[in-house]
Amino acid sequence: MPRPRQFDEQRVLSAVQATFWDNGYAGTSLDDLLSATGLGKGSLYGAFGDKQRLFLRVLREYDEANDRMLRTWLEDADRGIEVIRSFVTAPVRDPSGEQARRGCLLANTAMELSTNAAEVAAEARRSYTATTAVLADAVRRAQLEGDLAPHADPDEIARAVLAGQLGLIVLGRIGQDPAVLSAVADTLLDGLLPAT
Amino acid sequence: MPRPRQFDEQRVLSAVQATFWDNGYAGTSLDDLLSATGLGKGSLYGAFGDKQRLFLRVLREYDEANDRMLRTWLEDADRGIEVIRSFVTAPVRDPSGEQARRGCLLANTAMELSTNAAEVAAEARRSYTATTAVLADAVRRAQLEGDLAPHADPDEIARAVLAGQLGLIVLGRIGQDPAVLSAVADTLLDGLLPAT
């Protein structure tokens, strides 16, 4: 019979996620993970597999939490267009720019890794497809609500909005002035959301 | 008197650049650099400084070459708007998607590194400011040539175009279908370049 785990799984995974997010995948050593979690190698790898398994696990949980959050935004929003606006401005909402400099675990590590990491690239495609689907639903709702031109293609708009948001994440990551980022977000939204 | 260098500096720097581009900064070991260049540690670090110095050197050369290329595009183009279109479609021009999957040395490593690497972030801001300046010049020319709405703010358009292009680079890096990327580029251009 396996011994019961002596640690709180969610606490350990949160610490692992924060470590990968701050240091990148290649920049995170086993020692970093052990010191962040307070576990020994045997306990950590025994419970979750090696560094790559552990990374994919926290990346998937991060992506799924983001997907759920976006879906909930859409369910709770008064109007569909608010969800699209919130999605684009999300990376630039912290006036200190600190959150923007941290970027996004998915985008950061996709840029770092995907040439040589088929599983990360596949996970990123899956996650961005899910995001695009929610954004396209928001576009359809905004069209029904009269806030967006009815002739615009929801999937095309959703993909361009995602691209714009990812570009903002890159610019936030390099410490671009948050006020400039906000202005860029507004220009993207004005250009990509054709009014009725 | 120092001994004359026994190697071709540009060949060595090209090999170093390709290694960082393919593997990322943290993912590139000293051994990777020695095997790519065929040099010993003493020769390589003696000539260029340590890994970080070497990286910043090739990153700056890469950025400067891109700046020069964009400026030359604008000088040689028949119309300003062509330069903006070429800039946005550049990351998706290879129909195999291979170039898109390689991404951009600057964007890839900025995403990987900038939280903890002030010099990389500063270099990225410098380079993106230079890019925005050329794009804004292209917008002004397109306005004079009657291809772009005269009321649009050239700096705002330039920044949004850069953000859109960076988003395309992220999507290309994760292996998004090149045909989809091309369609996204078109949607971004249609939205961000208001016709007269």
Side-chain angles (χ1 to χ4, degrees), chain B residues 16-29:
Chain B
V16 167
Q17 190 200 74
T19 307
F20 280 125
W21 198 346
D22 286 331
N23 304 335
Y25 178 81
T28 296
S29 66

Side-chain angles (χ1 to χ4, degrees), chain A residues 92-114:
Chain A
V92 301
R93 209 165 288 154
D94 169 12
S96 75
E98 200 180 318
Q99 227 178 291
R101 274 191 301 279
R102 208 177 182 214
C104 159
L105 176 65
L106 175 60
N108 298 356
T109 45
M111 290 291 270
E112 179 195 343
L113 273 182
S114 54

Side-chain angles (χ1 to χ4, degrees), chain B residues 15 19 21 29 44 53 58 66 83 101 107 110 123-124 154 157 172 175 185 193:
Chain B
T19 307
W21 198 346
S29 66
L44 187 68
R53 288 294 103 207
V58 298
N66 279 330
V83 177
R101 275 191 300 277
E123 166 58 18
I157 301 278
L193 302 180

Side-chain angles (χ1 to χ4, degrees), chain B residues 2-15:
Chain B
R3 279 187 303 168
R5 289 187 186 158
Q6 299 297 317
F7 54 83
D8 174 341
E9 190 168 293
Q10 271 315 312
R11 193 194 55 73
V12 168
L13 290 173
S14 294

Side-chain angles (χ1 to χ4, degrees), chain B:
Chain B
M1 207 174 85
R3 279 187 303 168
R5 289 187 186 158
Q6 299 297 317
F7 54 83
D8 174 341
E9 190 168 293
Q10 271 315 312
R11 193 194 55 73
V12 168
L13 290 173
S14 294
V16 167
Q17 190 200 74
T19 307
F20 280 125
W21 198 346
D22 286 331
N23 304 335
Y25 178 81
T28 296
S29 66
L30 173 60
D31 281 348
D32 293 333
L33 293 171
L34 300 182
S35 107
T37 59
L39 296 181
K41 180 178 174 180
S43 304
L44 187 68
Y45 281 10
F48 303 105
D50 64 6
K51 177 178 159 183
Q52 197 190 342
R53 288 294 103 207
L54 197 47
F55 173 70
L56 277 167
R57 165 95 180 247
V58 298
L59 180 64
R60 280 195 191 115
E61 291 194 357
Y62 174 90
D63 290 343
E64 281 157 16
N66 279 330
D67 290 351
R68 275 195 305 276
M69 190 178 66
L70 190 58
R71 185 74 50 204
T72 305
W73 277 4
L74 184 58
E75 279 159 18
D76 295 349
D78 287 331
R79 304 187 81 84
I81 196 134
E82 287 169 18
V83 177
I84 311 171
R85 293 190 173 280
S86 300
F87 176 78
V88 172
T89 56
V92 301
R93 210 166 287 152
D94 169 11
S96 74
E98 200 180 320
Q99 225 176 293
R101 275 191 300 277
R102 207 177 183 214
C104 159
L105 176 65
L106 175 60
N108 298 356
T109 45
M111 290 292 270
E112 179 194 344
L113 273 181
S114 55
T115 311
N116 301 311
E119 280 183 284
V120 175
E123 166 58 18
R125 287 195 299 273
R126 189 208 60 70
S127 180
Y128 289 139
T129 301
T131 303
T132 309
V134 189
L135 291 173
D137 283 350
V139 168
R140 276 180 212 100
R141 203 178 128 188
Q143 288 175 319
L144 287 170
E145 290 166 348
D147 292 327
L148 253 178
H151 61 77
D153 181 305
D155 296 309
E156 278 179 17
I157 301 278
R159 286 196 203 97
V161 163
L162 172 62
Q165 196 240 23
L166 290 171
L168 274 178
I169 290 174
V170 179
L171 293 174
R173 186 101 172 104
I174 63 162
Q176 183 60 272
D177 180 350
V180 170
L181 292 178
S182 279
V184 176
D186 288 342
T187 309
L188 286 166
L189 287 165
D190 287 349
L192 299 176
L193 302 180
T196 46

Side-chain angles (χ1 to χ4, degrees), chain A residues 149-169:
Chain A
H151 61 77
D153 181 304
D155 296 309
E156 279 180 17
I157 301 276
R159 286 196 203 97
V161 163
L162 173 62
Q165 196 241 24
L166 290 172
L168 274 178
I169 290 174

